Amino acid sequence: MTEDRRAIVPVWTLATGDVRMPALARDEPMTAERLAELRGVLDVLADEPIATLELHPLPDKLDRGRGIPLDAVSPLAQHLSQFITQSARSSSVAATATAAGEGLYRMVVPAKVAAQFGQGIVRPMASKAAAGGVHSALMNSTGIAANATFVPVGKAAAAGAVGGAGATAGVAVAGSAALTVAAPLVLMAVAVGVSANADYKRQQAIEHLTELLEQLHEQKLDDEHSELDGCRDAIDKATAILLDQGKLGVSLGLDSAVHAINTALGAADRRLARWQSALDKLSDGKPVEISTLTKSFPGVDDHGGMFRTHLELAALAVALKRRVIVLQAVEHAQDDPDNSFENFARVLKRDHQRLQELESSIAGVLERLSALELAGPQGLRPVFTTGEVDRLMRAANRIHKLGDGVMGNSRTTDVAIEIARNKDGSVVVFPALPI
């Protein structure tokens, strides 16, 4: 989506704790570049994480199916409605911008918050529409267009009624009210956005697995896939209950789902150890015969195969575990509402470590495989048949591409969460994205 050159985009700063806002910005309009600079400085100078919230018009075409819908009585929708009402009372800019009742709210949480979530929990989603692009309700491949004018919402919004959620830079946050509006709003937006991102990864893994298993006809792997996919119902119900501030009960079956996911992660760990051991046994720098490689990595030279199915099963287990981690973090945060944001971030960071190590190790295996030099079959014949040459070329190309999709440990970036708000107060939260 490209902003109109004359578009006025209101922007709020959201304090997640009882802090004094650094005196950096005034009330004059800003460009997108200036806003990005301001975010960076706030990230460095602020004692507590400070997010920003922009309000854009709803795009004409919006794929709501990618997000998680929440009705008007859900905590996130209520926190957003409360924020809108209080901000409009004290700012004519906010009142004008929110008068229609609907819009696309874009929350950007700083890199220090993203680091607390654990690196890798939010990753780009490749766009089929444009090379290098990402899926997003608002962003295009280059981010927000610079044509729009961003206007900080007036200082009056920070007088204590909204506890710093509408404060502009240079205004002190009043008392403990910062934790009553801003922190829960940011927390719930992050929780739903990260959960939506993890569910998108689950959908991708399911699509790949279905295709691979249809080719393999491997009953044991099909059963493993079915058991993992069967966890979705319990996780979806638990997500809905927690995001409505309910309490989880044993009748949901979440304990059984967590057991199945942990079992699948254990299987992924064992397979990973076998892959690493097989690669360690290969001679450094020497070409490897395809037949030798496929003994330890069945089907690695083909589009399908058991090895690639094992990779997708691991990806599915990781995606499901990420959703469970978010549920656990929300539950802990809601049990301690006075320390909600810090509690949430701490749980996410601690439990994410194992998943990060597993993904990094699998990425290392793929990189090592992609760097291998392949040799043709060894024997008494001095030449290869045309079929053998073709197979060697195809296998080399497919194996070398294994490293293409590997994501390295890039620096942590700000994270954007987009929330479509309808006139009735209900919202759709889209997957969180790095920017």
Side-chain angles (χ1 to χ4, degrees):
M1 173 183 171
T2 301
E3 297 289 347
D4 185 88
R5 290 181 180 275
R6 296 164 296 180
I8 301 297
V9 177
V11 57
W12 296 264
T13 49
L14 308 178
T16 58
D18 190 1
V19 296
R20 180 177 295 274
M21 305 287 283
L24 298 171
R26 301 183 181 89
D27 290 335
E28 68 266 16
M30 299 182 290
T31 63
E33 291 81 5
R34 173 58 182 155
L35 178 59
E37 291 173 2
L38 177 62
R39 288 187 181 118
V41 177
L42 287 174
D43 185 30
V44 173
L45 297 183
D47 295 330
E48 297 286 342
I50 296 176
T52 60
L53 183 69
E54 307 159 16
L55 173 54
H56 300 259
L58 277 175
D60 294 334
K61 295 181 179 179
L62 190 61
D63 182 9
R64 296 171 184 266
R66 294 188 298 104
I68 293 180
L70 299 172
D71 60 34
V73 298
S74 65
L76 174 58
Q78 288 184 329
H79 285 309
L80 184 57
S81 295
Q82 180 184 5
F83 164 76
I84 292 169
T85 300
Q86 294 176 334
S87 184
R89 288 173 182 168
S90 52
S91 167
S92 59
V93 173
T96 302
T98 59
E102 64 179 8
L104 190 66
Y105 290 82
R106 182 173 185 264
M107 182 182 294
V108 178
V109 294
K112 67 170 63 174
V113 177
Q116 288 176 314
F117 300 158
Q119 191 174 9
I121 200 167
V122 176
R123 288 180 172 176
M125 297 180 294
S127 171
K128 296 179 180 179
V134 294
H135 286 293
S136 172
L138 180 65
M139 296 170 62
N140 56 28
S141 59
T142 58
I144 294 293
N147 296 329
T149 300
F150 295 84
V151 179
V153 175
K155 293 182 180 179
V162 294
T168 54
V171 179
V173 176
S176 61
L179 291 176
T180 64
V181 174
L185 177 58
V186 175
L187 182 152
M188 295 304 296
V190 170
V192 187
V194 171
S195 185
N197 185 282
D199 192 55
Y200 176 83
K201 300 296 184 184
R202 180 198 63 79
Q203 292 174 22
Q204 281 188 316
I206 288 292
E207 291 173 2
H208 295 158
L209 273 169
T210 300
E211 181 180 349
L212 290 171
L213 288 171
E214 285 176 352
Q215 300 173 18
L216 268 182
H217 302 291
E218 184 71 30
Q219 186 60 46
K220 289 184 178 180
L221 293 180
D222 194 44
D223 291 343
E224 190 174 336
H225 168 221
S226 298
E227 187 170 7
L228 274 177
D229 197 29
C231 299
R232 178 190 175 186
D233 184 61
I235 293 175
D236 284 349
K237 289 178 180 176
T239 301
I241 289 174
L242 274 182
L243 294 181
D244 286 337
Q245 285 191 330
K247 292 293 184 180
L248 299 182
V250 294
S251 62
L252 286 175
L254 190 60
D255 289 346
S256 298
V258 171
H259 175 73
I261 294 168
N262 288 340
T263 299
L265 288 173
D269 283 330
R270 292 190 296 275
R271 289 162 182 161
L272 171 62
R274 289 199 296 267
W275 297 336
Q276 291 172 327
S277 176
L279 286 170
D280 290 340
K281 292 177 182 178
L282 299 177
S283 300
D284 291 338
K286 292 185 178 181
V288 181
E289 288 188 52
I290 296 178
S291 59
T292 299
L293 199 60
T294 54
K295 287 180 181 178
S296 300
F297 303 90
V300 69
D301 58 333
D302 204 349
H303 285 300
M306 189 173 294
F307 172 65
R308 294 174 191 266
T309 304
H310 286 163
L311 289 176
E312 293 299 337
L313 284 169
L316 176 57
V318 168
L320 290 169
K321 184 66 173 180
R322 288 202 198 285
R323 291 200 68 186
V324 170
I325 290 174
V326 174
L327 290 176
Q328 293 169 335
V330 172
E331 187 174 26
H332 279 272
Q334 290 181 349
D335 286 343
D336 187 9
D338 293 333
N339 189 29
S340 57
F341 194 85
E342 292 84 353
N343 210 6
F344 176 81
R346 184 169 58 251
V347 173
L348 271 182
K349 183 178 181 180
R350 183 186 66 231
D351 289 351
H352 175 65
Q353 187 62 38
R354 179 191 176 189
L355 298 183
Q356 180 63 22
E357 292 174 355
L358 175 60
E359 285 191 314
S360 296
S361 297
I362 291 176
V365 167
L366 295 178
E367 288 178 335
R368 292 175 68 181
L369 280 171
S370 67
L372 291 176
E373 181 182 352
L374 298 183
Q378 303 298 310
L380 299 176
R381 290 182 291 113
V383 295
F384 300 145
T385 65
T386 303
E388 289 171 339
V389 172
D390 288 344
R391 185 194 174 197
L392 180 62
M393 295 293 289
R394 288 195 303 270
N397 183 53
R398 287 166 181 160
I399 292 173
H400 290 161
K401 284 184 176 181
L402 285 173
D404 290 351
V406 173
M407 286 194 164
N409 292 325
S410 57
R411 65 181 181 86
T412 306
T413 65
D414 293 351
V415 171
I417 301 154
E418 292 161 4
I419 306 169
R421 185 177 189 267
N422 304 311
K423 290 184 178 180
D424 63 359
S426 61
V427 297
V428 176
V429 185
F430 295 93
L433 293 168
I435 59 173

